């Protein structure tokens, strides 16, 4: 498809993000920058950060414990992991930011979701039950050339996980970056925590 | 304001006459599958004949689409 002719001048802001990972990945990240997850999670592929927003917990808390929970689920029966928390300065072009904390942009995506379902149905060959949030979002991001997503989400960690509390009330703000080498300068990446978590 | 810039992009994109095709292509790129042909609906010949007899129709084609039985008919 043809380019949408993004504006020449775009407002840029800097955001500090916290990212948790296994300590064994740190050298590679410091040397090569972050790599995008390919998994179909939350907001599709990208590098996921916790950023300042609605959380009452510290951001390194989220980075540590979210990484630990992921590892615990993935590498059973292992129960302890050496985890690092990295911070990075993200240079954000606001014209490329799909900000779900902005009601107008959320409304825009809801319009796209409706139009996408209609387009799929009109094609006459659509197989139902495939339009997951992450696929719709990835299609929307590609069409609109977004490279960042910001959203408040609910994550069940720590005491919430122990108490098995499900909720529709968001508790943390996340930020997803595509093409990290374009938007994150390697010297800005710092390891702020390293330790064994069990 | 960045929202205005994004809205302009959105309006420009969605004004394109081929937007439906672009959306379908974007979904396919994300692994959403579109069947190449209509899904055949397998019913026994006896069942088809009984159905056609009951409703006094001649079915030219019977297929399943979006979990619904579609019947192309011709008045008997």
């Amino acid at each position: 498809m043809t380019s949408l002719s993004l504006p020449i001048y775009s407002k840029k802001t800097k955001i500090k993000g916290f990212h948790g990972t296994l300590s064994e990945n740190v050298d590679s990240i410091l040397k090569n920058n972050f790599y995008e997850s390919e998994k179909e999670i939350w907001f599709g592929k990208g590098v996921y950060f916790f950023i300042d927003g609605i959380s009452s917990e510290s951001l390194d808390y989220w980075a540590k414990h979210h990484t630990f929970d992921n590892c615990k689920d993935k590498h059973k029966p292992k129960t302890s992991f050496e985890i690092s928390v990295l911070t990075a300065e993200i240079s954000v072009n606001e014209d490329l930011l799909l900000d779900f904390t902005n009601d107008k942009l959320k409304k825009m995506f809801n319009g796209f979701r409706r139009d996408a379902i209609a387009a799929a149905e009109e094609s006459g060959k659509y197989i139902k039950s495939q339009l997951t949030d992450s696929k719709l979002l990835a299609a929307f991001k590609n069409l609109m050339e977004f490279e960042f997503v910001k959203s408040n989400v609910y994550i069940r960690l720590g005491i919430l996980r122990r108490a098995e509390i499900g909720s529709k009330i968001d508790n943390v703000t996340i930020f997803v970056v595509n093409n990290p080498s374009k938007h994150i300068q390697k010297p800005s990446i710092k390891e702020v925590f390293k330790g064994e978590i069990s | 304001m960045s929202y205005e810039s994004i809205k302009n992009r959105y309006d420009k994109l969605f004004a394109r006459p081929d937007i439906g095709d672009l959306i379908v292509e974007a979904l396919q790129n994300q692994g959403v599958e579109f069947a190449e042909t209509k899904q055949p609906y397998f019913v026994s010949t006896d069942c088809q004949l009984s159905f056609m007899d009951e409703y006094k129709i001649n079915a030219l084609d019977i297929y399943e689409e979006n979990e619904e039985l579609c019947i192309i008919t011709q008045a008997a």
Side-chain angles (χ1 to χ4, degrees):
Chain A
M1 68 174 282
T2 55
S3 166
L4 292 174
S5 307
L6 296 170
I8 296 165
Y9 171 77
S10 297
K11 190 179 173 193
K12 287 196 176 175
T13 51
K14 301 264 187 197
I15 288 180
K16 186 177 183 182
F18 285 70
H19 177 92
T21 186
L22 287 172
S23 298
E24 65 193 39
N25 298 328
V26 171
D27 284 347
S28 167
I29 293 171
L30 293 174
K31 188 178 169 198
N32 305 311
N33 214 320
F34 292 95
Y35 44 90
E36 299 183 50
S37 78
E38 292 289 340
K39 284 189 294 183
E40 194 182 305
I41 52 168
W42 292 348
F43 300 98
K45 71 171 193 173
V47 187
Y48 284 69
F49 293 92
F50 294 100
I51 64 166
D52 195 22
I54 60 169
S55 174
S56 60
E57 304 285 353
S58 65
L59 297 174
D60 65 329
Y61 166 89
W62 288 103
K64 267 182 230 171
H65 291 279
H66 188 249
T67 305
F68 174 69
D69 278 8
N70 277 346
C71 292
K72 205 168 62 169
D73 292 343
K74 205 188 295 177
H75 303 289
K76 282 175 185 170
K78 203 175 164 194
T79 54
S80 95
F81 302 90
E82 192 174 48
I83 284 170
S84 292
V85 176
L86 302 173
T87 60
E89 196 172 79
I90 308 158
S91 180
V92 182
N93 177 338
E94 293 188 3
D95 286 322
L96 305 182
L97 170 61
L98 176 53
D99 183 355
F100 281 125
T101 66
N102 178 325
D103 284 349
K104 288 177 178 174
L105 286 170
K106 203 177 244 183
K107 190 173 174 180
M108 186 182 283
F109 176 74
N110 283 328
F112 168 76
R113 174 156 48 192
R114 177 202 59 216
D115 292 344
I117 293 167
E121 286 179 350
E122 275 170 28
S123 77
K125 304 180 213 165
Y126 161 57
I127 301 174
K128 270 208 286 194
S129 307
Q130 297 182 80
L131 296 184
T132 58
D133 264 0
S134 60
K135 283 179 179 166
L136 280 166
L137 186 63
F140 188 54
K141 279 167 70 178
N142 287 348
L143 283 167
M144 288 288 292
E145 302 180 16
F146 286 119
E147 299 211 336
F148 309 94
V149 179
K150 177 183 176 184
S151 187
N152 295 327
V153 295
Y154 175 74
I155 301 180
R156 193 166 64 174
L157 277 186
I159 193 169
L160 298 169
R161 188 171 170 123
R162 282 202 300 280
E164 296 181 8
I165 293 175
S167 177
K168 291 193 187 311
I169 301 170
D170 305 327
N171 58 355
V172 66
T173 308
I174 62 165
F175 200 88
V176 187
V177 181
N178 292 121
N179 295 319
S181 57
K182 206 166 123 188
H183 306 298
I184 297 170
Q185 298 293 314
K186 277 191 285 181
S188 81
I189 305 171
K190 312 279 183 214
E191 186 177 38
V192 294
F193 169 85
K194 181 178 183 178
E196 189 89 2
I197 298 190
S198 56
Chain B
M1 185 190 171
S2 286
Y3 170 72
E4 298 305 331
S5 159
I6 293 169
K7 179 77 167 56
N8 285 340
R9 241 158 63 218
Y10 182 88
D11 290 344
K12 188 175 164 188
L13 177 66
F14 282 78
R16 288 178 56 154
D18 60 344
I19 184 61
D21 294 337
L22 290 176
I23 291 175
V24 168
E25 187 186 335
L27 293 172
Q28 281 177 318
N29 289 340
Q30 298 310 318
V32 175
E33 290 176 49
F34 289 77
E36 287 305 314
T37 55
K38 290 167 182 167
Q39 301 292 296
Y41 186 79
F42 296 106
V43 288
S44 71
T45 309
D46 284 351
C47 180
Q48 276 196 39
L49 290 172
S50 156
F51 182 88
M52 289 157 63
D53 184 51
E54 185 178 348
Y55 290 95
K56 310 289 181 213
I57 56 170
N58 289 326
L60 300 178
D61 191 13
I62 298 178
Y63 60 93
E64 191 185 40
E65 189 171 84
N66 296 336
E67 295 174 11
E68 287 177 2
L69 180 64
C70 300
I71 304 166
I72 298 174
T73 64
Q74 177 180 300

